[in-house]
């Protein structure tokens, strides 16, 4: 009984933290404080793309196709986070990740987005995404068939990476 209560309490705590984070969002300044790390080298997105498809191949999923339209959608969201100094899937005006995809006229049945910041190379970014069950699910979801990747370096803060996934509307289920 005590274990059940502990699990419920932990679950409620996680929900409160998640809702608070989603509701307030994060800002780059609040995340890094007054002494942000200096400008790192850009993340090698080609290497990250290879790591993602290698992981998918290991579990016999089709490789993702990187598209310029989804790259542009991911870049637009990345730059919006820099411009408005926030770190969240939904921007301060309430624009959700699929709006960036829609703006590029990408047809889709399903979509997902991963965002990450603070890592200095593709392998670190991949490791961080794989350590998170939700991010890992997005990367390995079997019906996603296209990806867009973007990286930006906001005002001297560590790299931010945006991954956008879709199941293209032409994909047969």
């Amino acid at each position: 009984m005590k274990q059940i209560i502990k699990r419920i309490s932990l679950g409620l705590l996680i929900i409160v933290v998640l809702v608070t984070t989603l509701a307030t969002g994060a800002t780059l300044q609040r995340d890094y404080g007054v002494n942000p790390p200096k400008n790192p080298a850009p993340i090698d997105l080609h290497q990250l793309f290879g790591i993602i498809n290698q992981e998918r191949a290991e579990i016999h999923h089709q490789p993702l196709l990187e598209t310029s339209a989804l790259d542009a959608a991911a870049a637009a969201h990345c730059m919006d986070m820099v411009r408005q100094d926030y770190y969240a899937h939904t921007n301060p005006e309430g624009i959700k990740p699929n709006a960036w995809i829609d703006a590029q006229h990408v047809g889709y049945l399903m979509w997902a987005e991963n965002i990450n910041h603070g890592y200095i190379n593709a392998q670190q970014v991949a490791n961080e995404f794989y350590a998170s069950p939700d991010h890992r699910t997005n990367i390995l979801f079997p019906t996603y068939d296209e990806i867009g990747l973007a990286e930006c370096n906001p005002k001297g803060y560590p790299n931010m990476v945006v991954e956008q996934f879709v199941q293209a509307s032409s994909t047969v289920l």
Side-chain angles (χ1 to χ4, degrees), residues 58-172:
E58 288 176 10
I59 59 171
H60 308 290
H61 286 351
Q62 68 181 4
L64 296 170
L65 172 66
E66 185 176 8
T67 70
S68 59
L70 283 174
D71 285 348
H77 186 200
C78 199
M79 293 310 298
D80 187 65
M81 286 191 284
V82 170
R83 185 175 53 79
Q84 296 198 64
D85 190 31
Y86 71 97
Y87 177 72
H89 292 286
T90 302
N91 86 354
E93 287 83 36
I95 295 173
K96 298 194 180 310
N98 62 310
W100 306 109
I101 299 169
D102 293 342
Q104 296 299 318
H105 308 288
V106 174
Y108 58 88
L109 298 173
M110 296 173 49
W111 62 269
E113 177 181 76
N114 290 342
I115 60 175
N116 190 315
H117 67 86
Y119 297 93
I120 61 170
N121 63 51
Q123 190 62 60
Q124 284 183 343
V125 171
N127 291 347
E128 183 67 18
F129 280 141
Y130 294 146
S132 161
D134 290 339
H135 292 114
R136 185 176 177 85
T137 295
N138 289 343
I139 292 167
L140 300 178
F141 200 76
T143 60
Y144 290 146
D145 51 8
E146 295 180 4
I147 187 171
L149 300 167
E151 177 265 341
C152 53
N153 189 313
K155 302 173 192 162
Y157 292 94
N159 297 314
M160 286 198 302
V161 173
V162 177
E163 299 176 338
Q164 295 201 335
F165 305 89
V166 299
Q167 176 183 345
S169 58
S170 61
T171 303
V172 178

Side-chain angles (χ1 to χ4, degrees), residues 13-24:
L13 176 62
I14 290 169
I15 290 170
V16 168
V17 169
L18 180 60
V19 167
T20 302
T21 301
L22 291 174
T24 62

